[in-house]
Amino acid sequence: MCAVHAPSGNEKDMCDFVLNYVQKNKKSWKHQPKVFYGKEFQDCIVLVFGKPRTAVFTHLDSIGFMVRYGKGLVKIGGPKTIDGIKLVGEDSKGKIETSLRVTEDKKKGIKKLEYHFNRDIETGTELTFKPNWRETKTSVQCCYMDNRLGVWAALNLAENLKNGVIVFSCFEEVGGGTVSFIQKFLQEKYKISQALIADITWCTEGVKPGKGVAISVRDSLIPRRSFLEKIISIAKNSKIPFQLEVEDSGGSDAKELQRAEYPWDWCFIGAPEENVHTPDEKVNKKDIDSMIQLYEVLMDKL
Amino acid sequence: MCAVHAPSGNEKDMCDFVLNYVQKNKKSWKHQPKVFYGKEFQDCIVLVFGKPRTAVFTHLDSIGFMVRYGKGLVKIGGPKTIDGIKLVGEDSKGKIETSLRVTEDKKKGIKKLEYHFNRDIETGTELTFKPNWRETKTSVQCCYMDNRLGVWAALNLAENLKNGVIVFSCFEEVGGGTVSFIQKFLQEKYKISQALIADITWCTEGVKPGKGVAISVRDSLIPRRSFLEKIISIAKNSKIPFQLEVEDSGGSDAKELQRAEYPWDWCFIGAPEENVHTPDEKVNKKDIDSMIQLYEVLMDKL
Amino acid sequence: MCAVHAPSGNEKDMCDFVLNYVQKNKKSWKHQPKVFYGKEFQDCIVLVFGKPRTAVFTHLDSIGFMVRYGKGLVKIGGPKTIDGIKLVGEDSKGKIETSLRVTEDKKKGIKKLEYHFNRDIETGTELTFKPNWRETKTSVQCCYMDNRLGVWAALNLAENLKNGVIVFSCFEEVGGGTVSFIQKFLQEKYKISQALIADITWCTEGVKPGKGVAISVRDSLIPRRSFLEKIISIAKNSKIPFQLEVEDSGGSDAKELQRAEYPWDWCFIGAPEENVHTPDEKVNKKDIDSMIQLYEVLMDKL
């Protein structure tokens, strides 16, 4: 799944991948969802199970780079710009495997981003990290754990979900653009007003790998305290390991929910990763387990 | 009122305080409002008097700090970070009275925010300024004049209001989140399309304490000129002292109104304060008087 | 048209100008549009031709300056601050012709903006670039090519348009505020979900004057790839000269469409200019021609 090319704006392949997976596997799920997709949903997918009260949002898109003119690159979202990292893509002349070249003008404080390749790549071509899957007993490591792991967790949750919505959204890495119309759809059709953001967060001095899924008390956004406290209380009673996260930067699909015309509550809950926004994003398996377990409990209790 | 703990996201206590005040006092008001609150309004309150044409928005939340990990703090909104200021709060171990410790790494240009306390405070705990009420013949001074004074002015306005809406909103100090759904409610139920933002602004080289309420020609946002000119014209005819403000930064609840799906006009009108976003916010009583008087005239004439 | 005073927030004169033009000239147009304007549209105008599938957005407002206190100025939008540029405006004491004075405190990295004039201009007065029209065989040059040229192109397009919407919007230079409610109107009344942004863009190392209209692959925003590819394919088949643009900054009316509650596709298409946001914006006539031609084809084929 990490090899699917789906930078923000071009999530079509990832949408097809998930849709295909859903169509193939849903027969074995305990409860059959309604599956919404197509023109009205752009490249998003919405699964509705039973009588939903809460929606889980998980984004399909990834960060990357786009070819500007000549050898120049611009960022899609916020990838770390490390000299030498491998990038892949395709233009009309064929498949591309290249690498990032970072030159820094320290006086001006400007970083110049270019690619190394034996020909010019066409303007507007998207390049994404070359995937390199590494798995041990305790961890998985690759590019795009953020947010393929969120997607994977959501598909896992789907297997036993009785009541609830799972949303696969687009454009998250560049500030959003699809959550608003999906929220409107859910509000009007299902009267939902609770959301959980299933995304991957950062390991920090206070959030350590292996210590459980992170419940975010805040990032650049602040969820409503009463909803947060309800979630923490359910998490405590469940005995599932979790950690509280407090950051003053970073954002998520919650931004669109918060600014919306509907009074929704939301909270970000996800496993933390090391090496954020690099090809080497690494997540502890225990944290993935507790993420899925906590979502199962919350979808039932909230 | 300044002692009520209500940082952005956790406005419940302030909501209860205002609701309680309204329920107790409204009998003595000239006209009885409809009072909207509860689940559909999160921690906001909407008072609707008669046949409203204009809505006044005044925010309940305040700035503050949140405990990160260990002794670390992050800001809620934009408090001034002055070493030594007193902070109060509460976690599961009890009440907290502490102070802010600011250490600056000038080379890196980074300020580190911590608290002084004899134990670690729980991650996610909110701390707010310790109130210290100071009143003279000419001024009032405390933390959170912004926006408890706006709330107070709005409650004053309520005593004689015939036609109009008063909105007590949340999340203003962190970019908003409740104005949009209240606007939708007012648009659909009352066909309103005019708003006034009752908030506290800054004393500057052009806006002086004691010279009257400030009518904001602009901050980071620009209201529609034709609406502004109508307001200035009414203000001039009323003989109430006022000052024009022109800033290129700062924002308010107007941001959500401006970006909305409804063609509303809005203008920010409020008394100026000294020592903005500190525990020592100071407002001249004359400016509060002219603020209330101008709102009374505008709610009648607009 | 470039001489009309219409900084963001005060687009009334420009609205009247366009409305007047439309009323006078529409008889000679091939198809008669419905013309929407007035209170529900603030200072915007919407022309609806036939059975529309696509809406063209073009903004009426311009950048400028506003008088703060004393001799001080603040920017409206993002004008280049070049010492000595001529500014015009009017306050209650009469017409104003002045110039910009820029003094730089290099230590603090602060630029101070003031005006030169024999009296103090009233606080809140707007100043705009003094127009100086220069035309050659190959180019037009003046202030406010951005976006009077987009407006002009749209009025040109109107002459032969069979099916489609043309929107004249406001507030674009300061982050928007009218596109959202117009989008809602178009969505609900005409079920439109495609938009083209007719605005002026930048000449850069990859986008050269005279090489054709620019189709923007991205700026700070990224349009949906599938819609972009449809447009590029139509443009290629049409043989109209065009250039692909890839930038990582800059924005447009698309921002409001992207963040909206409706799943619209959009793309920015416009002629490039030199000397962006100065009184000397210069556009190659060939690029204007290809802009108009491409819009004609796209409104037919999309």
Side-chain angles (χ1 to χ4, degrees):
Chain A
M1 196 198 289
C2 294
V4 180
H5 177 79
S8 304
N10 196 4
E11 296 90 346
K12 202 184 164 302
D13 288 354
M14 194 59 200
C15 178
D16 289 346
F17 180 94
V18 171
L19 204 53
N20 200 27
Y21 177 91
V22 168
Q23 302 298 14
K24 261 196 201 153
N25 291 278
K26 70 176 179 183
K27 281 157 262 168
S28 69
W29 294 352
K30 272 207 193 147
H31 306 277
Q32 292 306 302
K34 286 187 197 170
V35 183
F36 296 93
Y37 64 97
K39 190 172 181 301
E40 298 289 296
F41 295 88
Q42 294 193 348
D43 297 313
C44 306
I45 304 166
V46 178
L47 307 179
V48 179
F49 294 84
K51 293 184 180 171
R53 297 177 310 276
T54 306
V56 175
F57 286 80
T58 191
H59 68 88
L60 296 174
D61 61 308
S62 79
I63 51 177
F65 296 88
M66 192 185 281
V67 176
R68 202 168 169 250
Y69 315 115
K71 299 289 185 197
L73 289 174
V74 294
K75 294 195 273 184
I76 298 171
K80 290 275 163 62
T81 50
I82 301 161
D83 192 74
I85 55 174
K86 297 235 162 59
L87 301 173
V88 292
E90 189 173 359
D91 67 7
S92 74
K93 287 169 201 143
K95 299 238 174 204
I96 296 154
E97 185 167 336
T98 175
S99 65
L100 178 66
R101 182 179 169 172
V102 184
T103 48
E104 203 166 349
D105 184 332
K106 288 204 175 168
K107 265 192 193 163
K108 294 189 186 168
I110 297 170
K111 271 190 182 179
K112 201 170 146 190
L113 304 179
E114 296 183 306
Y115 60 85
H116 262 305
F117 203 50
N118 54 9
R119 62 169 174 88
D120 275 10
I121 304 174
E122 288 164 5
T123 290
T125 303
E126 301 146 333
L127 301 174
T128 49
F129 293 141
K130 186 184 175 186
N132 174 18
W133 182 267
R134 286 148 285 174
E135 188 168 351
T136 69
K137 261 191 217 170
T138 57
S139 70
V140 289
Q141 183 169 22
C142 193
C143 58
Y144 303 140
M145 293 289 96
D146 166 7
N147 186 30
R148 302 299 151 84
L149 205 54
V151 171
W152 185 83
L155 289 171
N156 235 284
L157 177 68
E159 295 176 10
N160 299 301
L161 190 58
K162 191 172 172 191
N163 299 307
V165 173
I166 298 175
V167 175
F168 300 93
S169 70
C170 296
F171 279 112
E172 195 268 353
E173 296 287 3
V174 293
T178 59
V179 168
S180 290
F181 66 76
I182 292 170
Q183 181 187 25
K184 181 183 169 73
F185 165 79
L186 293 174
Q187 168 79 33
E188 293 182 352
K189 201 169 164 93
Y190 296 103
K191 308 284 174 220
I192 285 178
S193 63
Q194 296 182 135
L196 301 174
I197 312 297
D199 201 346
I200 301 302
T201 186
W202 312 334
C203 288
T204 60
E205 54 180 293
V207 173
K208 308 283 188 190
K211 298 290 183 189
V213 61
I215 297 174
S216 176
V217 180
R218 61 165 294 177
D219 47 31
S220 67
L221 296 163
I222 301 179
R224 199 152 68 112
R225 196 78 184 183
S226 53
F227 187 62
L228 176 72
E229 283 174 358
K230 209 173 178 182
I231 287 169
I232 293 174
S233 153
I234 292 170
K236 275 184 183 162
N237 288 331
S238 74
K239 312 286 183 202
I240 298 162
F242 73 92
Q243 310 177 69
L244 290 182
E245 175 184 78
V246 177
E247 294 297 327
D248 60 356
S249 62
S252 71
D253 272 342
K255 189 164 66 181
E256 288 186 78
L257 301 175
Q258 173 74 359
R259 304 282 155 83
E261 295 190 8
Y262 310 101
W264 281 36
D265 279 322
W266 56 266
C267 187
F268 180 112
I269 301 175
E273 67 178 14
E274 298 172 273
N275 312 320
V276 173
H277 283 193
T278 74
D280 303 311
E281 295 180 348
K282 186 176 172 182
V283 184
N284 190 292
K285 287 182 177 177
K286 280 190 203 164
D287 299 334
I288 308 172
D289 286 346
S290 65
M291 179 178 178
I292 295 170
Q293 286 170 40
L294 184 57
Y295 270 93
E296 283 182 350
V297 172
L298 288 171
M299 294 304 281
D300 182 43
K301 305 269 187 200
L302 273 176
Chain B
M1 195 198 292
C2 295
V4 179
H5 176 79
S8 305
N10 197 5
E11 296 90 345
K12 201 182 164 305
D13 288 355
M14 194 58 199
C15 177
D16 289 346
F17 180 94
V18 171
L19 204 53
N20 201 26
Y21 177 92
V22 169
Q23 303 296 15
K24 261 195 202 153
N25 291 278
K26 69 176 179 182
K27 281 157 262 169
S28 69
W29 294 352
K30 272 207 193 147
H31 307 276
Q32 292 306 302
K34 287 186 196 170
V35 183
F36 296 93
Y37 63 96
K39 190 172 181 300
E40 298 288 296
F41 295 87
Q42 293 192 348
D43 296 314
C44 306
I45 304 167
V46 179
L47 307 179
V48 180
F49 294 84
K51 293 183 181 174
R53 296 177 310 276
T54 306
V56 174
F57 285 81
T58 191
H59 69 88
L60 297 173
D61 60 308
S62 79
I63 52 177
F65 296 87
M66 191 185 282
V67 176
R68 201 167 171 253
Y69 316 114
K71 298 289 187 198
L73 289 174
V74 294
K75 294 195 275 185
I76 298 171
K80 289 275 163 61
T81 50
I82 301 161
D83 192 74
I85 55 175
K86 297 235 161 57
L87 301 173
V88 292
E90 189 173 358
D91 68 5
S92 75
K93 286 167 201 145
K95 299 237 176 205
I96 297 154
E97 185 168 335
T98 175
S99 64
L100 179 66
R101 180 179 172 173
V102 183
T103 47
E104 202 165 350
D105 184 333
K106 287 204 177 168
K107 265 192 195 164
K108 294 189 187 170
I110 297 170
K111 271 189 180 179
K112 202 169 145 188
L113 305 177
E114 296 182 308
Y115 60 86
H116 262 305
F117 202 50
N118 54 10
R119 63 169 173 88
D120 275 9
I121 304 175
E122 288 164 7
T123 290
T125 303
E126 301 146 333
L127 301 174
T128 49
F129 292 142
K130 186 184 176 188
N132 173 18
W133 183 265
R134 286 147 286 174
E135 186 167 350
T136 69
K137 261 190 217 170
T138 57
S139 70
V140 290
Q141 183 170 24
C142 193
C143 57
Y144 305 138
M145 293 290 95
D146 166 8
N147 186 29
R148 302 299 151 84
L149 205 54
V151 171
W152 185 83
L155 290 171
N156 237 282
L157 177 68
E159 295 176 11
N160 299 302
L161 190 59
K162 193 172 172 191
N163 299 306
V165 173
I166 298 175
V167 175
F168 300 94
S169 70
C170 297
F171 278 114
E172 195 269 352
E173 297 288 3
V174 293
T178 59
V179 168
S180 290
F181 67 76
I182 292 170
Q183 181 186 25
K184 181 183 166 75
F185 166 78
L186 293 173
Q187 168 79 33
E188 292 180 353
K189 201 169 164 92
Y190 296 103
K191 308 285 175 219
I192 286 178
S193 62
Q194 297 182 135
L196 301 174
I197 312 298
D199 201 347
I200 300 303
T201 186
W202 311 335
C203 288
T204 60
E205 54 180 294
V207 174
K208 308 282 188 193
K211 298 290 184 188
V213 61
I215 298 176
S216 176
V217 180
R218 61 166 294 177
D219 46 30
S220 68
L221 296 163
I222 301 179
R224 200 152 68 111
R225 196 78 184 184
S226 52
F227 188 62
L228 175 73
E229 284 175 357
K230 210 173 178 182
I231 287 169
I232 292 174
S233 154
I234 292 169
K236 275 184 181 161
N237 288 330
S238 74
K239 312 286 181 203
I240 298 162
F242 73 93
Q243 310 177 69
L244 291 182
E245 175 184 79
V246 176
E247 294 296 328
D248 60 355
S249 62
S252 72
D253 272 343
K255 189 163 66 181
E256 289 187 76
L257 300 177
Q258 172 74 359
R259 304 281 155 85
E261 295 189 8
Y262 310 101
W264 281 35
D265 278 322
W266 57 266
C267 187
F268 181 111
I269 301 174
E273 67 178 15
E274 297 172 275
N275 311 321
V276 173
H277 283 192
T278 74
D280 304 312
E281 295 181 346
K282 185 177 174 183
V283 184
N284 191 292
K285 288 181 179 178
K286 282 190 202 165
D287 300 334
I288 307 172
D289 287 345
S290 64
M291 179 176 176
I292 295 170
Q293 286 169 40
L294 185 55
Y295 270 92
E296 283 182 349
V297 173
L298 288 172
M299 293 306 281
D300 183 41
K301 305 271 188 197
L302 273 176
Chain C
M1 195 197 291
C2 296
V4 179
H5 177 79
S8 305
N10 196 4
E11 296 91 345
K12 200 182 165 304
D13 289 354
M14 194 57 201
C15 177
D16 289 346
F17 181 94
V18 170
L19 204 53
N20 202 26
Y21 176 92
V22 168
Q23 302 297 13
K24 261 195 201 154
N25 291 278
K26 69 176 179 183
K27 281 159 262 169
S28 69
W29 294 352
K30 271 206 193 146
H31 306 276
Q32 292 305 302
K34 287 186 196 170
V35 183
F36 296 93
Y37 64 98
K39 191 172 181 297
E40 297 288 297
F41 295 87
Q42 293 192 347
D43 297 313
C44 306
I45 304 167
V46 179
L47 307 179
V48 179
F49 294 83
K51 293 184 180 171
R53 298 177 310 275
T54 306
V56 175
F57 286 81
T58 191
H59 69 87
L60 296 174
D61 61 309
S62 79
I63 52 178
F65 296 88
M66 192 185 281
V67 176
R68 201 166 170 252
Y69 316 114
K71 300 289 185 197
L73 290 173
V74 294
K75 294 194 274 184
I76 298 172
K80 289 274 163 62
T81 51
I82 302 163
D83 191 74
I85 56 175
K86 297 232 161 61
L87 300 173
V88 293
E90 190 173 357
D91 68 5
S92 75
K93 286 168 201 146
K95 299 237 175 205
I96 296 153
E97 184 168 336
T98 176
S99 63
L100 178 66
R101 182 181 170 172
V102 184
T103 47
E104 202 165 349
D105 185 333
K106 287 203 177 170
K107 264 192 195 162
K108 293 189 187 169
I110 296 170
K111 270 189 180 178
K112 201 169 146 189
L113 304 177
E114 294 183 307
Y115 59 87
H116 261 305
F117 203 51
N118 54 10
R119 63 169 174 86
D120 274 9
I121 304 174
E122 288 164 4
T123 290
T125 303
E126 301 146 335
L127 302 174
T128 49
F129 293 141
K130 186 185 177 188
N132 174 18
W133 181 266
R134 287 149 284 175
E135 187 167 351
T136 69
K137 261 190 216 170
T138 56
S139 70
V140 291
Q141 184 170 23
C142 193
C143 58
Y144 303 140
M145 293 288 96
D146 167 5
N147 187 27
R148 301 298 151 86
L149 205 53
V151 171
W152 184 83
L155 289 171
N156 235 283
L157 177 67
E159 296 177 9
N160 300 301
L161 190 58
K162 192 172 172 191
N163 299 305
V165 172
I166 298 175
V167 175
F168 300 93
S169 70
C170 296
F171 279 113
E172 194 268 353
E173 297 288 4
V174 293
T178 59
V179 167
S180 291
F181 66 77
I182 292 170
Q183 181 186 27
K184 182 183 168 72
F185 166 78
L186 293 174
Q187 168 79 34
E188 292 182 352
K189 201 168 164 93
Y190 296 103
K191 308 285 175 220
I192 286 179
S193 62
Q194 297 182 134
L196 301 174
I197 312 298
D199 201 345
I200 301 302
T201 186
W202 311 335
C203 289
T204 59
E205 53 178 296
V207 174
K208 308 283 188 190
K211 298 289 185 188
V213 60
I215 298 175
S216 177
V217 180
R218 61 166 294 176
D219 47 30
S220 68
L221 296 162
I222 301 179
R224 199 154 68 112
R225 196 77 185 185
S226 52
F227 188 62
L228 175 73
E229 284 175 356
K230 210 173 178 182
I231 286 169
I232 293 174
S233 153
I234 293 170
K236 275 185 182 161
N237 288 330
S238 74
K239 312 286 182 204
I240 298 162
F242 73 92
Q243 310 177 68
L244 291 182
E245 175 183 78
V246 176
E247 294 297 328
D248 61 356
S249 62
S252 72
D253 272 343
K255 190 164 65 182
E256 288 187 77
L257 300 176
Q258 173 73 0
R259 304 281 155 82
E261 295 190 8
Y262 310 102
W264 282 35
D265 278 322
W266 56 267
C267 188
F268 181 111
I269 302 175
E273 68 178 15
E274 297 173 273
N275 311 319
V276 173
H277 283 193
T278 74
D280 304 312
E281 296 180 347
K282 185 177 174 183
V283 184
N284 190 291
K285 287 182 179 178
K286 281 190 202 165
D287 299 335
I288 307 172
D289 286 345
S290 64
M291 181 177 176
I292 295 171
Q293 286 170 40
L294 185 56
Y295 270 93
E296 283 183 348
V297 173
L298 289 172
M299 293 304 281
D300 182 43
K301 306 271 187 196
L302 273 176

